[in-house]
Amino acid sequence: MRLKCGALLLGMMLMGMAVTTNTQVSAEAADGEVLVDPGKTFVKVYRLHDLPAWSKDGTFRPVLIMQTVQDQILPKQWEGRGGTATMAPYPQDGALVISATEKMHEKIEAFLDKQRPSK
């Protein structure tokens, strides 16, 4: 059962759905809308297919991007620096799985968008 729940959670994350953890949902939310308590954390998946997270042989290597995100986006909020936000690579999908507050997710998304090649 535990394995099935973990696989379901991972599947939801990989489909691009935000998975909330330790959050409070507002009773004022419209139908189908989930309002997350801004001080709580939730998990979000960031695909890096168009960012320099790959070696020449096609191996997923997101270490530089991960370090830059932790250095640029609220550095003291990351778990390794005394905070609660976490980040892990998911090589099977070329993505980062990040658990952070809404404010951090907004900053991470804006930062990654600036790194993406313009169309």
Side-chain angles (χ1 to χ4, degrees):
M1 179 66 173
R2 184 180 221 174
L3 182 58
K4 287 182 182 180
C5 290
L8 178 61
L9 175 64
L10 183 58
M12 289 171 52
M13 291 187 319
L14 294 177
M15 290 186 325
M17 303 171 83
V19 178
T20 59
T21 58
N22 300 325
T23 59
Q24 296 175 0
V25 179
S26 170
E28 299 173 13
D31 264 347
E33 181 182 5
V34 175
L35 299 179
V36 177
D37 181 338
K40 301 293 182 175
T41 62
F42 65 98
V43 175
K44 190 169 180 180
V45 175
Y46 295 89
R47 289 194 168 86
L48 305 179
H49 64 281
D50 57 346
L51 292 174
W54 308 89
S55 66
K56 289 182 182 182
D57 68 357
T59 304
F60 186 57
R61 303 224 185 267
V63 175
L64 183 59
I65 290 176
M66 292 172 69
Q67 186 64 47
T68 304
V69 167
Q70 289 180 347
D71 289 344
Q72 298 290 318
I73 311 299
L74 302 169
K76 294 180 181 178
Q77 299 298 316
W78 294 98
E79 185 177 61
R81 300 172 181 184
T84 59
T86 60
M87 178 179 350
Y90 189 71
Q92 295 85 337
D93 201 40
L96 294 178
V97 178
I98 300 176
S99 174
T101 63
E102 183 175 15
K103 178 180 177 182
M104 286 184 76
H105 280 298
E106 289 171 0
K107 291 178 178 286
I108 292 165
E109 190 167 339
F111 174 79
L112 292 175
D113 284 347
K114 285 181 184 177
Q115 308 309 308
R116 298 185 190 286
S118 17
K119 294 181 179 181

